[in-house]
Amino acid sequence: MAPKVLISDKLSPAAVQIFKDRGCDVDFLPDVGKDKEKLAEIIGNYDGLAIRSATKVTEKIIAAATNLKVVGRAGIGVDNVDIPTATARGIIVMNTPFGNAITTAEHAIAMMFAVARQIPAADTSTQAGKWEKSRFMGKEITSKTLGLIGCGNIGSIVAERALGLKMKVVAFDPFLSEERAQDLGVEKVELDELFRRADFITLHTPLTDKTRNIIDADAIASMKDGVYIVNCARGGLVNEAALAEALKSGKVAGAAVDVYEVEPAKENALFGIPNLVCTPHLGASTTEAQENVALQVAEQMADYLINGAVSNALNMPSITAEEAPKLTPFVKLAELLGSFAGQATETGLKEIRLEYEGEVAEMNVKALTASAVTGVLRPQLQTVNMVSAPSVAKERGIVIEDVRREQQGVYENYIRLTVKTERQERSVAGTVFADGKPRLIQIKGINMEAELGENMLYVTNEDKPGFIGQLGSILGDAGVNIATFNLGRKVAGHEAICLAEIDGELPEETLNRIEAIDQVKQVKQLRF
């Protein structure tokens, strides 16, 4: 029986035809995505669901989707899909991460021109029969400094366009290497320097815990007087209340906003301020982009439903059915190693190196390497997956290397991941024992054996008496229970490592108290 696909949002007729040509039965119901009750009623009949942003794939919808195998999002953002619930139900979630990059970059450039020359307000005034030339004094962009927050796929296209407009471009991106920056013709800088130097600032980064409110009142205060801010990336990157106050005071000369903390944005603190240009999340809204992502999602979903091939999956590794039983635990290990390194790394990445030893070196390590790179990048770039992570790393000039060799040590299977940053190298190694569970066996050259739980506390410290007692007292005061506790050191009295699984997350105050212990060099709360 042919797999059945429901298209619940508006999608190109060419995408519908792709499904049919590949052997799928398709129901094209572009308005059903807005009707939650109707969607829940019929979703159990389908193997695949193709959506844009209007359809909300909630826990309730997933519970009713008794036959659903794949959700395909025509676009990048998957905020409208409950990915953890889909994963728990074995439903693959795909997106199309690169289909609308040019369109979004062009919109950012257009918004920059619009706010610099006050084009929307001038248009409204002129069409109202006024002739207010002196009111709409604009700002040239030639020779001005553009600050990019995020220089990945979209940001690099904006940089290219801006350089063509004779702007100087500086960029902040923890994953941008100096070599890649030179290739693009941009100057890599730290965020505080970007704020000090930029005449225009445009954002091209995902919304994560680290990037939320990356532009707030303090950031704005450190910027040039008369700066212009453009956000066509994600609502929540810019604190809207702080931006509103800065626009009113004149600290920010103008802002162009395409995305909002709450969408649809019917009311907003920014609305009504004269030196503001707003659009309703139009970054990807061109005929070409909508066609591209529609065709891509149809091809990906059909390939999976007919052939079992997985592309751009956010919650499933690219592993064939034959490889899965043996490879899956090592994919998990590789991602855990990458996640550990990614969460512990604070400076720009230059290289990621994987070493495979023993039986694992004879496997298809491409999936393992992709999984490890995903783990490294995901703390900063949450939408990366095993397919997109290597491309994202390449865009940022991060060198990826893998080495295979025969068994040399005591472990039948051994994976070591090393990340090289602008300041240091950091390595972490692991293995999979007979029980099929991944374990860490070495951190920064220090041997220890540890399983990784959901919440881990990682501390590097000087190996001196008193540390363990102080740490236990602080955790006890905070009411935090220790599930497992692992220690390691190379030489007595020198650097040591503590890795503890804890029940729940630590408050910031508790982390600060741990960091204040004399012997502590670094403390991180890690989540897996």
Side-chain angles (χ1 to χ4, degrees), residues 33-352:
K34 299 176 183 178
D35 187 339
K36 298 177 183 178
E37 299 303 320
K38 181 64 175 177
L39 180 60
E41 179 185 332
I42 66 174
I43 190 62
N45 299 320
Y46 296 96
D47 301 286
L49 175 63
I51 63 172
R52 287 195 188 278
S53 58
T55 299
K56 310 300 180 187
V57 186
T58 62
E59 184 176 1
K60 179 181 177 180
I61 297 299
I62 293 171
T66 51
N67 293 310
L68 196 63
K69 299 175 180 64
V70 59
V71 175
R73 164 71 162 99
I76 297 177
V78 287
D79 297 343
N80 54 325
V81 180
D82 186 337
I83 295 178
T85 301
T87 302
R89 289 288 302 274
I91 299 169
I92 297 173
V93 181
M94 299 176 170
N95 69 347
T96 54
F98 306 117
N100 54 19
I102 290 175
T103 288
T104 304
E106 287 184 352
H107 192 65
I109 294 291
M111 292 285 271
M112 182 170 63
F113 272 116
V115 70
R117 299 306 296 269
Q118 303 181 65
I119 292 172
D123 173 72
T124 300
S125 170
T126 305
Q127 293 204 49
K130 302 176 183 179
W131 193 256
E132 300 178 295
K133 286 186 66 174
S134 59
R135 176 186 168 193
F136 299 112
M137 186 62 64
K139 179 78 71 172
E140 276 189 4
I141 68 168
T142 299
S143 300
K144 300 299 190 298
T145 297
L146 173 64
L148 295 175
I149 299 178
C151 197
N153 194 35
I154 295 171
S156 61
I157 297 172
V158 171
E160 181 184 42
R161 304 296 193 267
L163 291 167
L165 295 168
K166 306 303 180 185
M167 300 184 81
K168 179 177 177 58
V169 181
V170 298
F172 166 74
D173 188 324
F175 295 101
L176 179 67
S177 68
E178 291 289 352
E179 293 77 10
R180 174 61 175 164
Q182 290 176 10
D183 290 343
L184 290 172
V186 308
E187 181 183 353
K188 183 181 179 181
V189 297
E190 294 300 322
L191 189 59
D192 56 353
E193 183 177 350
L194 183 148
F195 288 151
R196 289 196 307 270
R197 291 174 56 185
D199 301 296
F200 293 81
I201 295 174
T202 182
L203 298 104
H204 306 285
T205 183
L207 180 65
T208 68
D209 291 340
K210 291 186 177 181
T211 61
R212 186 179 299 278
N213 290 325
I214 194 169
I215 293 183
D216 57 11
D218 290 339
I220 292 171
S222 70
M223 296 176 189
K224 284 185 176 182
D225 291 342
V227 68
Y228 290 82
I229 297 173
V230 178
N231 185 14
C232 295
R234 282 285 180 266
L237 296 175
V238 180
N239 185 288
E240 292 172 348
L243 179 57
E245 290 302 314
L247 285 165
K248 292 172 184 176
S249 71
K251 172 68 177 183
V252 175
V257 179
D258 186 50
V259 289
Y260 308 88
E261 291 181 15
V262 177
E263 295 184 6
K266 301 296 181 68
E267 296 179 352
N268 192 282
L270 294 167
F271 292 169
I273 299 175
N275 42 347
L276 178 74
V277 176
C278 289
T279 51
H281 206 146
L282 298 180
S285 295
T286 64
T287 303
E288 294 86 352
Q290 296 301 299
E291 184 80 359
N292 287 341
V293 296
L295 299 182
Q296 286 178 24
V297 80
E299 290 172 352
Q300 292 174 191
M301 291 179 65
D303 280 346
Y304 172 68
L305 291 169
I306 301 299
N307 304 315
V310 178
S311 301
N312 289 325
L314 294 164
N315 60 346
M316 180 179 174
S318 299
I319 305 171
T320 67
E322 293 76 18
E323 293 172 323
K326 192 171 184 179
L327 202 56
T328 296
F330 291 97
V331 168
K332 181 65 174 176
L333 171 64
E335 185 171 358
L336 286 172
L337 295 176
S339 181
F340 187 102
Q343 292 182 72
T345 299
E346 297 176 343
T347 55
L349 283 168
K350 298 185 70 176
E351 183 178 333
I352 301 172

Side-chain angles (χ1 to χ4, degrees), residues 449-461:
E449 184 183 314
E451 289 188 48
L452 293 179
E454 183 178 349
N455 292 288
M456 304 294 295
L457 178 65
Y458 169 58
V459 184
T460 58
N461 60 282

